[in-house]
């Protein structure tokens, strides 16, 4: 638990940054504490363009929050139209790379026109404000266009990640009561077609409410079109051009004047039960938080080329591929395919080609690239990079240091950003010109975010380094408003564990400098011999070992110690003696953390069960170590065959 080296921002970085130095950060943070919700009002006036000004910053009737009530606004207008009145009109808004090597660039003007055209298609088909659309598409520009067109008309969208199965698509479509599905024939991943329309057809067998399916043609492969229900995107678009001139279509499709609290989207995320939760975000507050963090955390400047590698099917893609960057007027990069196709340097090739300056990805991705060696990034000119980001899970110091050295060439600050689907935007992260970094820590909360740590009785923990529950003490603009169709679950899960506070479900500790160290989900915290021990800490220790590529750790019931540590480990390429290595790794962990942390068991495997966003599904591993069987929801699992392989591997010593 030693707090490693700190990395102070360079004077060059700080001098040009939006927030210059610790004093400025502290002043801003204190001001926000003093002013409460009113802190956000001038920011909302300045950062967003309103059709009608709001009357009040916040109406708070826990757990119901109404931000910027009385205001009228449109998210799509803020992402596109308002930039057309400035020099950004001809600036690239979206740079897209397809996996097969095709590429497109949309200026703000181009993207605005494409969105207006598609919004007109939606309108002509009879869709309007408050209707619900499922979007199930590959990472092509039309995915962003569909999202923005829905926002333009006030249609509530729910993007379902293209890697989800027909079954997952069905439950989400039903839960949302969607009447429209926007999809594509398929998309490219590792040179193979991911067929989406087939899954839609299967899912919709049990979704009678869906009356229309719009199909974008990406791969050109054969498929079934159901008469009346299914229409081609391009045919509808062409019809627009012949029936009326382009400019008229665009003009006719003004952005709807919507309430600040108009539902913007629902995004499904897995909870502790089998049923995914439909997290609802609304318009103005969400947009403010994502826009502000582009400057506060990514230190966005006018000439930046910004790339977040997340799929738009995840919250990171919503907030930091589409809404945040476009609202802030950035150039956002989008890539369709796999990072290792055709080779392990695909990402670095894209960075060099487009001179990416801000790069945001996940620790899982970084670790998988570490495994392949430095020669891949070293073959490319990465000198355009000036800032790196990490999100989704704690980043272990070994991966952090590799990222810092090999990708950032010890020049680029790394912003480790903690947040959740439920928070809408980044909550705890460094302001890179101000806050010294510590590898593995998301550092300090952003202004207006009153993060705290409490024990199981809800009492604040003040001693440094003592673990507790991470909570947020007051509402913030980007917070989720409810769980779609289940307000009770929203209240129970998030607002009733600790009085007047939002319960994150994460464990964390704060060090003597006040830095937050996120230790993972509460249900991933083990208790061995009365010692609280994070699965993440053991994993971090394991991946420090030269033989280990990735590790997942779960608690296993134990007669004497309550719980015992069980490790699933994948190894780097090599000829390893599993018996010897198992003993060595148990020793290793005992040495790195303490004898109480010595794993009971080490299982070697060739893959770990992960969600498609790269999170290890520890719940499944826990079930395997307790019962050697798996029950419950596995629809978010990336590769289902991993499971059968895992339950048949056994202890090697
Ligand atoms: C953005 C996103 C949320 C959960 C969250 C944490 C974990 C996310 C970090 C992190 C440590 C981070 N949304 N998490 N970011 N843990 N450091 N920087 O991932 O809803 O899909 O997941 O992810 O456990 O509760 S999410």
């Amino acid at each position: 638990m030693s707090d490693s080296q700190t990395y102070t921002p360079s004077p060059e970085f700080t001098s040009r940054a939006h927030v210059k130095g610790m004093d400025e950060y502290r002043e801003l943070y204190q001001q926000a504490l003093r002013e409460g919700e009113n802190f956000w009002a001038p920011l909302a006036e300045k950062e967003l363009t309103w059709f009608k000004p709001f009357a009040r910053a916040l109406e708070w009737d826990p757990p119901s929050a109404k931000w910027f009530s009385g205001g009228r606004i449109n998210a799509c207008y803020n992402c596109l139209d308002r930039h057309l009145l400035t020099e950004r009109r001809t600036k690239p808004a979206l740079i897209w790379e397809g996996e097969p090597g095709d590429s497109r660039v949309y200026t703000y003007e181009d993207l605005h026109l494409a969105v207006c055209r598609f919004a007109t298609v939606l309108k002509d088909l009879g869709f309007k404000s408050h209707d619900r659309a499922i979007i199930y598409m590959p990472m092509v520009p039309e995915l962003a266009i569909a999202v923005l067109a829905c926002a333009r008309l006030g249609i509530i969208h729910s993007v379902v990640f293209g890697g989800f199965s027909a079954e997952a698509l069905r439950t989400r479509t039903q839960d949302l009561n969607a009447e429209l599905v926007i999809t594509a024939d398929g998309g490219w991943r590792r040179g193979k077609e991911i067929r989406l329309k087939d899954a839609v057809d299967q899912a919709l067998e049990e979704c009678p409410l869906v009356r229309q399916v719009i199909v974008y043609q990406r791969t050109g492969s054969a498929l079934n079109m159901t008469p009346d229900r299914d229409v081609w995107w391009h045919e509808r678009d062409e019809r627009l051009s012949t029936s009326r001139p382009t400019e008229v279509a665009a003009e006719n499709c003004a952005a709807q004047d919507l309430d600040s609290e108009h539902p913007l989207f629902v995004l499904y995320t897995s909870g502790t039960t089998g049923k995914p939760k439909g997290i609802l975000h609304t318009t103005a507050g969400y947009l403010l938080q994502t826009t502000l963090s582009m400057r506060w955390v990514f230190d966005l400047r006018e000439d930046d080329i910004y790339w977040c590698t997340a799929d738009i099917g995840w919250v990171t893609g919503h907030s930091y591929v589409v809404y945040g960057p476009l609202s802030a007027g950035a150039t956002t990069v989008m890539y369709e395919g796999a990072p290792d196709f055709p080779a392990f340097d695909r990402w670095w090739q894209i960075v060099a080609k487009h001179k990416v300056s801000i790069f945001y990805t996940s620790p899982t991705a970084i670790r998988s690239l570490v495994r392949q060696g430095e020669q891949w990034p070293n073959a490319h000119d990465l000198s355009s990079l000036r800032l790196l980001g990490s999100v989704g899970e704690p980043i272990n110091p070994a991966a952090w240091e590799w990222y810092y050295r090999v990708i950032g060439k010890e020049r680029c600050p790394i912003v480790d950003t903690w947040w959740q689907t439920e928070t809408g935007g980044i909550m705890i992260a460094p302001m890179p010109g101000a806050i010294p970094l510590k590898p593995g820590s998301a550092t300090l909360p952003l202004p207006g975010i009153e993060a705290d740590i409490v024990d199981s009785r809800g009492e604040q923990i003040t001693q440094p380094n003592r673990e507790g529950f991470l909570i947020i003490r007051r509402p913030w603009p980007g917070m989720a408003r409810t769980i779609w169709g289940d307000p009770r679950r929203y209240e129970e899960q998030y607002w009733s564990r600790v009085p007047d506070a939002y319960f994150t479900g994460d464990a964390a500790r704060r060090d003597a400098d006040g830095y937050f160290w996120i230790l993972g989900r509460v249900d991933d915290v083990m208790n061995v011999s009365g010692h609280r021990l994070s699965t993440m800490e053991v994993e971090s220790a394991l991946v420090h070992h030269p033989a280990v590529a990735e590790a997942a750790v779960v608690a296993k019931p134990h007669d004497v110690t309550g719980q015992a540590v069980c490790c699933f480990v994948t190894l780097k390429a090599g000829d390893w003696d599993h018996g010897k290595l198992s003993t060595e790794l148990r020793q290793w962990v005992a040495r790195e953390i303490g004898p109480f942390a010595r794993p009971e068991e080490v299982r070697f495997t060739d893959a770990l069960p992960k969600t498609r966003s790269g999170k290890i599904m520890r719940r499944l591993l826990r079930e395997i170590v307790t019962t050697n069987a798996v029950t419950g929801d596995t629809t978010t699992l990336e590769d289902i065959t991993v499971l059968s392989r895992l339950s048949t591997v056994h202890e090697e010593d």
Side-chain angles (χ1 to χ4, degrees), residues 18-57:
H18 289 290
V19 179
K20 299 177 176 60
M22 222 35 197
D23 291 347
E24 204 174 312
Y25 162 74
R26 290 208 190 284
E27 213 175 283
L28 210 54
Y29 194 83
Q30 288 308 320
Q31 184 200 343
L33 275 189
R34 268 194 322 271
E35 295 179 357
E37 66 244 36
N38 295 323
F39 170 72
W40 301 101
L43 293 170
E45 280 160 19
K46 181 171 150 271
E47 296 287 339
L48 303 178
T49 303
W50 297 83
F51 297 146
K52 179 173 166 246
F54 54 90
R56 274 183 71 180

Side-chain angles (χ1 to χ4, degrees), residues 441-453:
S441 168
T443 73
L444 300 168
L446 293 178
I449 306 303
E450 200 186 338
D452 207 347
I453 296 178

Side-chain angles (χ1 to χ4, degrees), residues 375-433:
Q375 71 277 17
W376 297 103
N378 285 349
H380 297 274
D381 176 8
L382 305 181
S383 61
S384 56
L385 291 171
R386 67 176 195 93
L387 183 71
L388 303 174
S390 170
V391 61
E393 49 185 319
I395 180 165
N396 51 296
W400 195 101
E401 266 141 28
W402 188 90
Y403 197 26
Y404 188 74
R405 180 174 57 81
V406 179
I407 305 304
K409 314 290 180 205
E410 303 181 9
R411 256 187 318 101
C412 309
I414 296 177
V415 291
D416 178 354
T417 62
W418 177 86
W419 59 294
Q420 308 175 300
T421 304
E422 294 87 339
T423 69
I426 296 169
M427 302 288 278
I428 304 178
M431 288 177 147

